Amino acid sequence: MHLRRLVATGLLLSATLPLVARAQQQPMVLRTVQPNQAGNQSLPYHPVTGPRSPLRKDWVGMRAVSRDIPILVMAGHADSQGIGGSGTSGEAVALYRQPPMYPGISDEHYWNLVVAHAVATLGQQRGLKIQFYKPPVRTIVNADDQGTNWSTGRQFAAAGGYALEIHFDAYGSAGVGSGLIPPLHRPFSRIDESLAQEFGAYPMNFREMLGGPKRGIGLLEIGKLEGNLEASLRDPRTRQRTVQLIAWRIVNAIEAGMGRGSRSPLARNWPPLTPPPDAAGTGVPVRDLQANSAAE
Ligand SMILES: [Zn+2]
């Protein structure tokens, strides 16, 4: 009942589909930086995703995980659109008066969805037990209600899986940079460590323990939604390749943390042999999004 009332007041995710379909018709130009030029994680800056978190990493992920650990990937702010905590609008909208990627949702949430879906798709192609979760509606006031990202992720992590929520950080001085805010429900794992090696890290008690990490969900900040990163996502000619590169780095890091990375060196080649469809790609995610919205 509670959900039904919210559905009436909020736009459903399926409403973004016309925009996704339009994006897919755009030509793709391959002019993003190659990851082998960009892969030195000791640098404070990544050419595609920008500055890494300069905050102190006060934790180390040592706990081994199973090579078959189930993984759940979610888009940050999926249930908080139209209320506080809906995610950053990004520099293009806030400072340069560009139209939002889709009206009614923050640009951060839009890109979180695209990246999370691409990660799940590529991970499945690699044989990981990885699934994408999206709440049935976009606005759920209580984060502990059934079906929210955090409720679903908490149960998933408690059952032994690895739950990861994708985010982009705020632009300008409000943002920190890319990095993992690690889950806090049990000792830090090698997946946590591997993601931190690739993207950077936040302190374990960042902002006095955020809601997701407290429930056992890792928050991965891809980068600040500004500058070159935001421009290459927004430009239809570079969008698909940028999303693929980000997804490729995340999946590689997860696989390495699971101890699977060296087993299939071909899997680490860039570009992927079979480009993964993403939310701006084939009809597969479109059907998925429609199916998820059937709860209306
Ligand atoms: Zn966020």
Side-chain angles (χ1 to χ4, degrees):
M1 293 174 297
H2 184 49
L3 293 185
R4 279 185 184 283
R5 197 171 65 245
L6 292 167
V7 166
T9 56
L11 277 168
L12 286 171
L13 177 63
S14 55
T16 63
L17 295 177
L19 178 114
V20 169
R22 228 175 17 251
Q24 133 188 23
Q25 292 161 7
Q26 301 291 340
M28 185 176 77
V29 176
L30 305 180
R31 59 181 170 87
T32 320
V33 174
Q34 289 290 331
N36 58 355
Q37 299 171 261
N40 186 346
Q41 62 267 25
S42 64
L43 292 174
Y45 186 90
H46 186 281
V48 174
T49 48
R52 290 185 165 90
S53 158
L55 304 178
R56 192 168 62 93
K57 179 171 178 285
D58 56 358
W59 54 273
V60 180
M62 302 284 285
R63 180 171 54 87
V65 298
S66 155
R67 284 172 172 246
D68 294 318
I69 185 172
I71 296 159
L72 184 70
V73 61
M74 301 175 288
H77 311 283
D79 38 45
S80 58
Q81 294 305 299
I83 55 177
S86 61
T88 180
S89 56
E91 185 183 51
V93 171
L95 295 189
Y96 301 117
R97 307 284 177 201
Q98 296 294 304
M101 292 304 298
Y102 192 81
I105 65 173
S106 68
D107 270 25
E108 183 197 336
H109 178 51
Y110 181 89
W111 295 120
N112 292 343
L113 275 171
V114 171
V115 169
H117 202 281
V119 167
T121 303
L122 179 60
Q124 285 164 7
Q125 289 178 353
R126 299 263 186 97
L128 302 185
K129 284 187 197 161
I130 186 168
Q131 52 181 299
F132 170 68
Y133 176 74
K134 183 181 76 64
V137 293
R138 267 198 218 139
T139 308
I140 304 175
V141 174
N142 185 348
D144 287 321
D145 278 0
Q146 194 177 5
T148 63
N149 270 7
W150 288 358
S151 291
T152 306
R154 179 173 52 77
Q155 289 164 13
F156 194 87
Y162 189 83
L164 185 67
E165 196 176 68
I166 303 295
H167 286 260
F168 283 79
D169 201 11
Y171 62 92
S173 58
V176 173
S178 70
L180 181 75
I181 307 169
L184 300 167
H185 62 314
R186 56 180 74 174
F188 303 112
S189 73
R190 290 186 184 170
I191 297 181
D192 300 329
E193 187 66 27
S194 183
L195 285 166
Q197 291 300 318
E198 179 62 32
F199 286 92
Y202 283 63
M204 65 173 98
N205 291 336
F206 182 65
R207 291 194 189 148
E208 297 177 27
M209 299 190 186
L210 293 166
K214 264 194 295 201
R215 292 170 173 83
I217 304 160
L219 309 187
L220 183 61
E221 298 282 359
I222 304 299
K224 296 167 70 174
L225 196 50
E226 65 181 14
N228 287 341
L229 172 59
E230 187 179 31
S232 54
L233 286 168
R234 282 187 151 250
D235 185 340
R237 295 169 299 178
T238 51
R239 177 175 304 154
Q240 186 180 9
R241 186 170 170 85
T242 305
V243 169
Q244 283 181 12
L245 174 61
I246 293 168
W248 180 84
R249 289 173 59 200
I250 295 171
V251 173
N252 285 351
I254 290 173
E255 280 199 308
M258 296 165 75
R260 290 169 59 118
S262 58
R263 199 171 61 174
S264 53
L266 277 177
R268 297 180 66 82
N269 283 352
W270 174 263
L273 296 176
T274 311
D278 55 41
T282 72
V284 173
V286 171
R287 281 198 302 276
D288 181 47
L289 296 177
Q290 284 170 334
N292 276 350
S293 299
E296 70 195 66

